Amino acid sequence: MNIKSLLLGSAAALVAVSGARAADAVVVAEPEPAEYVRICDVYGAGYFYIPGTETCLRIGGYVRYDIAAGDAGSFDGANHVPDRMGNGTNSTWKKNARFTLKTWTGQETELGTLKTYTETRISYGNSGGDYTAGGTNWQARDKGLTLNFAWIQLGGLRVGKDESAFDTFIGYAGNVINDTLIPYGGLGTNVVQYYFEAGNGFTAVASLEEGATDGSGDTSIDSYVPNVVGGVKYKQTWGAITGVGAYDSNYEEWAGKVRLDVNAAQNLTLFIMGGYGTDKNTVTGRNFFKQWGGNWAIWAGGTYKINEKTSFNAQISFDQHKNFAVAANIAYEIVPGVKVTSEIDYLNVGSKDTYNWTGATKKANIGGIVRFQRSF
């Protein structure tokens, strides 16, 4: 009995001690469930939900390096200006490095899709423009930070910094690097726009615009009257027909463009675009929208996809002042996201065009550019 009592007492003591130690043990809290990034495929590839919100975000951009050489003003080539010693000319290479950051957001609301887009560029390279005091304008340097796009769009209403609907709605002049050897529009501006989706391939735009926002002077509006742009497009599987018209309130001038895009074959797309504008009230014959020489101008070109990685792009252009330009390139995708483009450009300056857009001083100008670009 004594042994049995001893054993029972020992067991009770052990249970008591164990219970006491269990009471003293640290209780580890359950970890909070982690909210992992969710893919958002509503607006296309690359979007993800911002944690804790229903807003989809995409981040992208590119790193670019250009190497160019050629006649002054004819393209992105070297500037022929006096060198720093003042006893020669700098007529060799021109280079430019650029980092561009882009963001897109999208979210569904009771008033339609809410979207934003931004694009910021940082560049380093040879400065462009005319000769400056000291002859250093050709030297490589930081060229500053620029905000090229920053707009908000709710449903069809868009406000912010964009490029003019005179250009974006009808499209740029082909897939060449230097598509503005004969310029076709005003580009950067603050806007208040509305886009209409009529169905069956019909779309339209109405845009109130400020004009140039890059400090280029009298192309920005100088009164309460905005520049006005309107356009209509009909698009089908074969291609598209587009027309835009614009009113420059500074000069009280009108301009318009019409364009035909054709998917001529599975690997061939072609376009032709014509522009016409008035120039009675301007000194140079140009306003924010009608940048070409004379009343009319024509641009034509296309893209031929040689294979999955290689394409050939070309453009020709001509205006009433007898400016004539040709640009052609081969673009090759080395690996996904990395492309090398080699382009040659030619500009013949019309004798009537005293205020040629490029600043070229020679009658015939030729040069080339090689572009390396990593897009992400």
Side-chain angles (χ1 to χ4, degrees), residues 232-299:
V232 178
K233 179 182 294 184
Y234 177 65
K235 186 176 182 179
Q236 295 293 323
T237 55
W238 53 264
I241 300 175
T242 313
V244 292
Y247 172 71
D248 186 314
S249 68
N250 272 0
Y251 295 103
E252 299 181 347
E253 301 282 10
W254 295 87
K257 292 184 292 188
V258 292
R259 174 173 178 146
L260 173 65
D261 289 275
V262 177
N263 299 320
Q266 185 176 2
N267 57 348
L268 177 64
T269 58
L270 302 171
F271 82 92
I272 183 169
M273 180 169 68
Y276 184 87
T278 60
D279 56 7
K280 295 180 181 179
N281 301 323
T282 64
V283 177
T284 64
R286 289 177 165 84
N287 57 61
F288 183 67
F289 301 105
K290 193 198 75 63
Q291 297 283 351
W292 53 89
N295 295 117
W296 56 263
I298 296 174
W299 302 260

Side-chain angles (χ1 to χ4, degrees), residues 5-6 26 44 93 118 133 156 160 171 199-200 210 240 253 263 301 327 338 342 347 359 365 368:
S5 298
L6 180 61
V26 177
W93 301 103
T118 68
N200 298 321
E210 182 185 12
E253 301 282 10
N263 299 320
V338 179
S342 299
L347 173 66
N365 303 269

Side-chain angles (χ1 to χ4, degrees), residues 106-250:
Q107 182 179 349
E108 295 307 309
T109 75
E110 63 273 15
L111 297 179
T113 302
L114 174 61
K115 297 187 291 187
T116 67
Y117 175 65
T118 68
E119 182 174 327
T120 306
R121 299 174 184 174
I122 305 172
S123 299
Y124 177 87
N126 302 92
S127 298
D130 298 327
Y131 168 72
T132 58
T136 61
N137 207 36
W138 52 269
Q139 293 181 343
R141 65 186 70 190
D142 283 315
K143 298 166 71 173
L145 178 72
T146 60
L147 181 64
N148 294 76
F149 297 88
W151 51 255
I152 304 167
Q153 183 168 332
L154 179 59
L157 178 65
R158 179 182 297 183
V159 296
K161 169 68 189 300
D162 200 352
E163 291 181 343
S164 174
F166 192 67
D167 303 312
T168 58
F169 188 75
I170 198 170
Y172 306 113
N175 292 322
V176 295
I177 295 174
N178 292 300
D179 62 342
T180 56
L181 292 175
I182 293 180
Y184 51 80
L187 298 181
T189 177
N190 287 316
V191 302
V192 177
Q193 301 175 333
Y194 195 85
Y195 290 86
F196 304 87
E197 295 284 347
N200 298 321
F202 285 98
T203 57
V205 66
S207 181
L208 304 179
E209 304 180 354
E210 182 185 12
T213 56
D214 57 3
S216 58
D218 59 2
T219 55
S220 292
I221 59 174
D222 57 5
S223 70
Y224 289 109
V225 181
N227 295 334
V228 181
V229 180
V232 178
K233 179 182 294 184
Y234 177 65
K235 186 176 182 179
Q236 295 293 323
T237 55
W238 53 264
I241 300 175
T242 313
V244 292
Y247 172 71
D248 186 314
S249 68
N250 272 0

